[in-house]
Amino acid sequence: MPKITLLRNGQTYEVPAGTSFLDFCLDHTAPHDFGCTAGSCGACVCVLEEGAGNVNPVSDDEAETLEMCTTHKGARLGCQLKVLGDISVRQLDS
Ligand code: FES
């Protein structure tokens, strides 16, 4: 099963492939901040320090929001991620 490592607390969790990162965080009270939960506010912006290829690709809508909220290369919206393999997540200040 894929592993999620949250660099904010250093903990690693195992999840079924295809798990929504948002649902995982809500279910586990995991330390990642969200706002709209719908890909439009940028509150959940993060980078995948490892496993950038182990999630769903960036959609046009996600790319548009990312462009408005960060200049960090490779940033993603946590609320839009589906976990397909091992990832390490670092939340960025939005
Ligand atoms: S929580 Fe608003 S964009 Fe992810």
Side-chain angles (χ1 to χ4, degrees), residues 50-93:
E50 290 174 33
N54 291 339
V55 293
N56 55 311
V58 181
S59 70
D60 290 347
D61 286 346
E62 183 180 354
E64 204 171 294
T65 300
L66 285 166
E67 202 172 295
M68 287 187 301
C69 69
T70 185
T71 55
H72 197 101
K73 194 171 164 3
R76 296 296 306 263
L77 297 177
C79 70
Q80 300 301 301
L81 295 178
K82 298 274 187 259
V83 184
L84 307 173
D86 295 359
I87 57 172
S88 293
V89 182
R90 179 165 62 87
Q91 184 151 25
L92 298 176
D93 292 330

Side-chain angles (χ1 to χ4, degrees), residues 34-44 77 79:
F34 296 96
C36 67
T37 69
S40 58
C41 74
C44 62
L77 297 177
C79 70

